Amino acid sequence: MDKLDYHGKLNAYETNITKELVEILTPFQWATDMVQGQNKVTASVIMPVIRGLQMEMEKLSSKYSSKMVLSLKNSVYSRLAKYETNTFKIAAALDPRWKLDWCTPAEKEDIK
């Protein structure tokens, strides 16, 4: 709350909600930081970021049974599906940082 320059006091319920919201939105901050690159190539991070977000949303949806988490999870799958193209898969496969950890077994065989 110091970062927000908020001088009021939150009750226990508001503090809990805030902590949960931060936990739910943290993967999106990570994804944003990973894909926005000035003076660096970011095409190779698209697939690992998409798969990372999908994995995090699966974990969060099992932990929190809220409409917001379900909506975010569905949005990650539906809105990011158009970026799961061969171009981004090949870019990620050629990046030695990822070692094909983001792939399904079928995708690993296809890429090889």
Side-chain angles (χ1 to χ4, degrees):
M1 296 310 285
D2 292 338
K3 290 181 182 180
L4 296 175
D5 198 27
Y6 178 75
H7 302 293
K9 199 123 170 101
L10 297 178
N11 62 34
Y13 175 76
E14 293 168 333
T15 302
N16 246 4
I17 293 289
T18 303
K19 286 179 182 177
E20 290 176 2
L21 189 58
V22 167
E23 182 181 0
I24 291 166
L25 294 178
T26 295
F28 294 95
Q29 178 188 10
W30 168 80
T32 302
D33 291 344
M34 289 293 291
V35 298
Q36 66 181 2
Q38 191 168 356
N39 301 323
K40 65 179 181 174
V41 177
T42 59
S44 65
V45 302
I46 299 300
M47 287 306 301
V49 165
I50 290 171
R51 297 299 166 79
L53 274 176
Q54 290 171 342
M55 186 177 71
E56 289 299 317
M57 294 314 299
E58 290 294 335
K59 288 180 195 174
L60 288 168
S61 67
S62 66
K63 184 175 181 178
Y64 301 107
S65 58
S66 72
K67 288 182 182 180
M68 182 180 85
V69 172
L70 181 60
S71 178
L72 287 171
K73 177 184 168 185
N74 290 338
S75 288
V76 164
Y77 281 94
S78 64
R79 293 174 189 254
L80 298 181
K82 65 183 173 186
Y83 298 105
E84 296 186 72
T85 65
N86 283 338
T87 302
F88 291 121
K89 287 179 182 180
I90 291 169
L94 293 173
D95 191 326
R97 293 179 291 177
W98 308 122
K99 301 175 187 160
L100 299 180
D101 293 339
W102 54 270
C103 291
T104 64
E107 287 172 325
K108 283 182 184 180
E109 287 301 315
D110 189 40
I111 288 170
K112 287 179 183 179

